[in-house]
Amino acid sequence: MEALGVRAAKFAALAEPARLRIVDLLALGDLSPTEVQSSLGMRSNLVAHHLRVLEQAGILSRSRSEADGRRSYVRLVPSAFDGLTPDPVRLSKRIVFVCTANSARSQMAEALWRRLSPLPVASAGSRPATEVNAAAVRSAARHGVRIPGKRPLSTAEVLQDDDFVIAVCDRAHEELSGRDDLHWSIPDPARTATDSAFDHAFRDLRLRIEGFVARLAAQPAS
């Protein structure tokens, strides 16, 4: 909770436009308070206040000029923004994407994951269809991703106790009753069965998977 409090304090300090502008200026070089005042066109007492808030949040530090000890300079703390993002996700499990039929969304997600991460992956359906939706295959192909020809599988066939389960539809999330680790509410493209609906679902999945993969901690070398 202490680390969370530090993050909250830094975000609060950065939430004021003038302070964010000061940080932008300091990203390029060190400045005296007078130089900050000149750049912002702001009264000196307000500049002093904003610099004090940023200093108390651990975002900037001050030092005296070696040429004129009456002058000070402010600079960004090198580690000021370390830890502002959420902690990395540590996974050593297989990823399993689940939708209702395992015919479109979970199949696209599985194929995308294979392109973006070395972690093992599978997909399943809470109520599997008899075959993969051809429109999903075509949509993936339009985006340079191949869905292999395999029959949809049920969660009973696929899921293992230590899998990391991502439900990519609302029905599957609700039917899994807490068995899933994450839920992505992706609208069912088969409802309208248009190319644009499948392409939208594919793009939504790609954005979510890219974001999730970026959060993964580095995997130890095997």
Side-chain angles (χ1 to χ4, degrees), residues 55-118:
E55 187 174 16
Q56 290 172 345
I59 293 172
L60 61 79
S61 62
R62 300 174 189 255
S63 62
R64 287 292 176 184
S65 167
E66 292 184 347
D68 182 348
R70 295 170 299 177
R71 183 187 298 270
S72 66
Y73 290 100
V74 291
R75 59 169 293 182
L76 288 182
V77 173
S79 60
F81 304 118
D82 293 353
L84 283 189
T85 57
D87 291 336
V89 178
R90 301 187 181 279
L91 287 180
S92 58
K93 308 174 181 180
R94 181 179 66 161
I95 304 294
V96 179
F97 292 101
V98 178
C99 66
T100 307
N102 190 216
S103 63
R105 288 164 289 182
S106 57
Q107 293 279 352
M108 291 192 288
E110 178 185 356
L112 273 164
W113 186 272
R114 292 188 191 280
R115 289 279 299 270
L116 297 169
S117 172

Side-chain angles (χ1 to χ4, degrees), residues 187-206:
D188 185 1
R191 286 181 176 270
T192 57
T194 62
D195 286 349
S196 62
F198 281 91
D199 287 347
H200 179 79
F202 185 93
R203 289 191 295 268
D204 195 351
L205 286 164
R206 182 176 59 197

